[in-house]
Amino acid sequence: MPQNNDTADATYRSRIEKLREAMKEFGLTAVVIEPGPAMVYLTGVHWGRSERTFALVVPLKGDLGFVLPGFEEKRARELIHPGAEIRAWQEDESPYQLVARILKDRGIVSGRVGMDPSVRFFIYDGVRKLAPQLDYVSAQQVLKSAGVDTTSSTSKRK
Amino acid sequence: MTDGIQPIRAEERQARIEKARRLMRENRMDAVLMQGGASAFYFTGSRSNEVALMFSRAALGSWSGKVDLASKVLKDQGVSAGRLGVEERVRFELVDRIGKELPALEFVSGDPVTAGCRMTKSPAELALMQRANDITIACYRAALATLREGMTQHELSATIAVAYQALGVEGDAMAIFGKYTAFPHGSVQPQKLREGDLVLIDDGCSVEGYQSDVTRTVIFGQPTQRQRDIWELERQAQDAALAAAKPGRTCESVDAAARKVITDYGLGPGYKVPGLPHRTGHGIGLDGHEWPYLVRGNKRLLEPGMCFSDEPTIAIYGEFGVRLEDCMYITEDGARTFTKQSPAIDQPFG
């Protein structure tokens, strides 16, 4: 278990497994999640939202991918369970590019990608421009089916 | 410290909407969609989380109301097949819903309109920001007077929040001690203040929604020569950014000016640590961080009325970090800080 994460490893893995079962059922190839209740429930990672993109990509197959700011990498690693791939972006680089690359590297070049309903427009807009062939749909039902309550308010930070 | 605060007047908000309409026409948007947050407050003066629409045609006015009605309103106003600018923080679920109800509608970034209006501040806005900065300095003065051996970072944070309350505003700050000051946003690791530690406090308060953001790094006890040298280097980097922030220069040139000081000393380069691991500053206004950013790649030109933080952290993992942050506003003659810069490692206030 990472240093600053209260979710046991087995819990984390079983929740991701359950999410993937739901993704299969609903026909989603990946789910993109921002910090908030869904990220906390699934991974135990608490992170404040800011203008700097911090995103989790859960592909149907392959390693989870976290996209996060380079200068926060050390602090973030204390929170993230081992096994997930971490891709850091520097201040003048595009985080959307990293999200798009994770999708591509996992073989996701078509089909439906679920968005955490609370994902902010600028992240969705940035990713869809780089991967316009994908169909972006709400992941609300999938998350609900996997046991995530997405209706509670998400954490906000200036 | 809250006497005589002048909230933004209705006339000023109306002028903002008129400017937004001009920017919508220039950027071929038929309307802009917002939901809560600073942009909606900027234009409407309301903190509600209802959906808000501003139409480019003045005759169509503005609308705010329940989520369920947004698509119908767009349709009734003849915008069901146009281009809708979306405020950056609008959530996917809202866009998805409207997109299903109005499949011919095109969604584009609303930033050219919302950020386009918000990034240059009026005299009334600058006055509110000045007040927020003044209050933050008063708060920090009170809080730093309470430093004592063994204190935890949480105690210092709590003291700052209480001081803000006493000053009549909402505000908070993170506090970081010792080697953890190398992490720009601190660490959850428990920290107890010891002789020779650097103390870093950072954040701000809000006056009529306008934010302050000030960082001070100060020595508790006697500094080492290394701490003094790096502190001085930090101050020089901050000064370089301030001197570079002139109207007509690019945002990235301000970052480059601060970074050059640090690189010339032998740290970095780029974002490498030991060095400056992040951009030199961010815009500030109704959001603590907002457009535009002082970052490499940003060719936007500085204009009078823009406000930025000037905060080139020097991070040395395993040792310590130093960040001095004062916010500045751009005038015809150059940048001016809202707060007096820290003159020395043992003098947080000028």
Side-chain angles (χ1 to χ4, degrees), chain B residues 128-247:
Chain B
L128 293 169
M129 293 182 64
Q130 183 63 59
R131 186 68 72 101
N133 277 279
D134 291 347
I135 293 172
T136 293
I137 293 295
C139 169
Y140 282 11
R141 270 185 201 282
L144 289 179
T146 70
L147 292 184
R148 59 178 166 72
E149 183 106 29
M151 173 182 227
T152 69
Q153 83 267 37
H154 303 299
E155 285 175 82
L156 181 54
S157 272
T159 302
I160 291 169
V162 168
Y164 273 129
Q165 255 175 10
L167 291 163
V169 297
E170 268 184 50
D172 54 23
M174 65 178 178
I176 319 175
F177 298 159
K179 66 177 179 177
Y180 296 104
T181 52
F183 295 87
H185 287 152
S187 169
V188 294
Q189 302 299 331
Q191 298 152 45
K192 281 196 170 168
L193 186 59
R194 289 176 321 195
E195 159 76 31
D197 274 352
L198 283 170
V199 173
L200 186 154
I201 53 176
D202 175 13
D203 217 323
C205 67
S206 166
V207 170
E208 291 291 319
Y210 288 88
Q211 308 289 317
S212 60
D213 194 358
V214 178
T215 305
R216 288 293 176 264
T217 304
V218 62
I219 191 70
F220 179 67
Q222 288 304 311
T224 63
Q225 193 56 46
R226 170 84 162 158
Q227 287 168 329
R228 275 187 197 283
D229 292 347
I230 297 299
W231 195 98
E232 287 300 333
L233 180 66
E234 167 67 5
R235 175 58 207 265
Q236 285 163 22
Q238 204 201 18
D239 288 349
L242 184 61
K246 290 190 159 51

Side-chain angles (χ1 to χ4, degrees), chain A:
Chain A
M1 200 155 86
Q3 204 173 357
N4 297 313
N5 188 318
D6 298 330
T7 305
D9 206 55
T11 309
Y12 158 67
R13 287 178 205 287
S14 76
R15 286 179 180 176
I16 295 294
E17 197 41 52
K18 199 169 166 198
L19 174 66
R20 284 181 162 151
E21 279 164 25
M23 286 162 64
K24 211 181 274 175
E25 190 189 330
F26 285 87
L28 298 188
T29 54
V31 172
V32 178
I33 294 168
E34 267 211 80
M39 188 178 286
V40 170
Y41 178 81
L42 292 166
T43 68
V45 172
H46 287 265
W47 196 266
R49 286 189 181 198
S50 77
E51 77 284 6
R52 289 185 174 105
T53 300
F54 184 109
L56 166 66
V57 180
V58 183
L60 192 56
K61 286 178 193 139
D63 290 341
L64 272 60
F66 278 92
V67 170
L68 49 86
F71 78 97
E72 304 270 34
E73 188 173 341
K74 255 173 135 50
R75 187 165 74 98
R77 280 191 186 274
E78 294 180 356
L79 306 170
I80 295 171
H81 283 272
E85 186 192 5
I86 291 174
R87 294 198 189 183
W89 56 278
Q90 296 301 340
E91 297 272 69
D92 57 334
E93 294 173 346
S94 164
Y96 322 120
Q97 189 84 54
L98 297 186
V99 172
R101 271 192 212 138
I102 290 175
L103 293 170
K104 195 169 170 232
D105 290 352
R106 303 292 185 272
I108 298 161
V109 290
S110 63
R112 302 191 328 148
V113 170
M115 305 298 278
D116 171 351
S118 75
V119 161
R120 291 165 296 174
F121 181 77
F122 70 91
I123 295 177
Y124 158 60
D125 194 41
V127 174
R128 71 169 174 163
K129 280 177 182 153
L130 294 166
Q133 77 287 4
L134 298 171
D135 187 13
Y136 300 92
V137 301
S138 170
Q140 183 152 24
Q141 281 177 303
V142 167
L143 290 170
K144 197 176 164 198
S145 168
V148 182
D149 177 10
T150 56
T151 56
S152 63
S153 66
T154 48
S155 63
K156 257 178 93 175
R157 216 182 99 163
K158 68 174 197 180

Side-chain angles (χ1 to χ4, degrees), chain B residues 21-316:
Chain B
R21 291 202 169 109
R22 177 170 64 75
L23 292 174
M24 276 188 246
R25 288 192 295 273
E26 287 173 17
N27 290 281
R28 296 186 304 110
M29 288 179 212
D30 298 294
V32 166
L33 171 76
M34 299 175 283
Q35 187 173 25
S39 290
F41 176 69
Y42 179 84
F43 292 109
T44 67
S46 159
R47 283 291 188 190
S48 122
N49 272 326
E50 292 195 315
V51 176
L53 285 164
M54 281 189 299
F55 292 92
S56 69
R57 287 176 52 208
L60 301 182
S62 300
W63 173 85
S64 66
K66 300 253 178 287
V67 172
D68 317 20
L69 295 175
S71 296
K72 185 177 182 307
V73 170
L74 283 162
K75 199 174 166 191
D76 290 349
Q77 301 287 38
V79 183
S80 53
R83 274 162 57 97
L84 180 65
V86 183
E87 204 273 339
E88 56 190 329
R89 292 192 192 178
V90 167
R91 283 149 199 256
F92 179 81
E93 60 191 327
L94 178 58
V95 172
D96 187 52
R97 176 175 181 159
I98 296 174
K100 278 187 183 134
E101 290 165 351
L102 304 172
L105 193 62
E106 188 187 347
F107 296 91
V108 298
S109 166
D111 295 349
V113 175
T114 51
C117 288
R118 287 172 54 190
M119 70 173 67
T120 47
K121 273 71 178 178
S122 70
E125 291 179 288
L126 292 175
L128 293 169
M129 293 182 64
Q130 183 63 59
R131 186 68 72 101
N133 277 279
D134 291 347
I135 293 172
T136 293
I137 293 295
C139 169
Y140 282 11
R141 270 185 201 282
L144 289 179
T146 70
L147 292 184
R148 59 178 166 72
E149 183 106 29
M151 173 182 227
T152 69
Q153 83 267 37
H154 303 299
E155 285 175 82
L156 181 54
S157 272
T159 302
I160 291 169
V162 168
Y164 273 129
Q165 255 175 10
L167 291 163
V169 297
E170 268 184 50
D172 54 23
M174 65 178 178
I176 319 175
F177 298 159
K179 66 177 179 177
Y180 296 104
T181 52
F183 295 87
H185 287 152
S187 169
V188 294
Q189 302 299 331
Q191 298 152 45
K192 281 196 170 168
L193 186 59
R194 289 176 321 195
E195 159 76 31
D197 274 352
L198 283 170
V199 173
L200 186 154
I201 53 176
D202 175 13
D203 217 323
C205 67
S206 166
V207 170
E208 291 291 319
Y210 288 88
Q211 308 289 317
S212 60
D213 194 358
V214 178
T215 305
R216 288 293 176 264
T217 304
V218 62
I219 191 70
F220 179 67
Q222 288 304 311
T224 63
Q225 193 56 46
R226 170 84 162 158
Q227 287 168 329
R228 275 187 197 283
D229 292 347
I230 297 299
W231 195 98
E232 287 300 333
L233 180 66
E234 167 67 5
R235 175 58 207 265
Q236 285 163 22
Q238 204 201 18
D239 288 349
L242 184 61
K246 290 190 159 51
R249 303 264 187 95
T250 60
C251 286
E252 69 172 358
S253 71
V254 180
D255 179 77
R259 209 167 289 281
K260 181 175 189 305
V261 171
I262 292 167
T263 308
D264 286 352
Y265 186 86
L267 301 177
Y271 300 108
K272 268 203 189 133
V273 285
L276 165 49
H278 55 66
R279 66 190 176 210
T280 293
H282 52 77
I284 183 165
L286 286 174
D287 277 317
H289 294 185
E290 63 178 41
W291 302 100
Y293 297 96
L294 301 176
V295 64
R296 184 163 73 189
N298 189 357
K299 313 278 186 205
R300 183 178 285 278
L301 302 181
L302 301 183
E303 293 171 38
M306 285 181 173
C307 296
F308 300 96
S309 69
D310 176 3
E311 49 168 329
T313 299
I314 299 174
I316 306 175

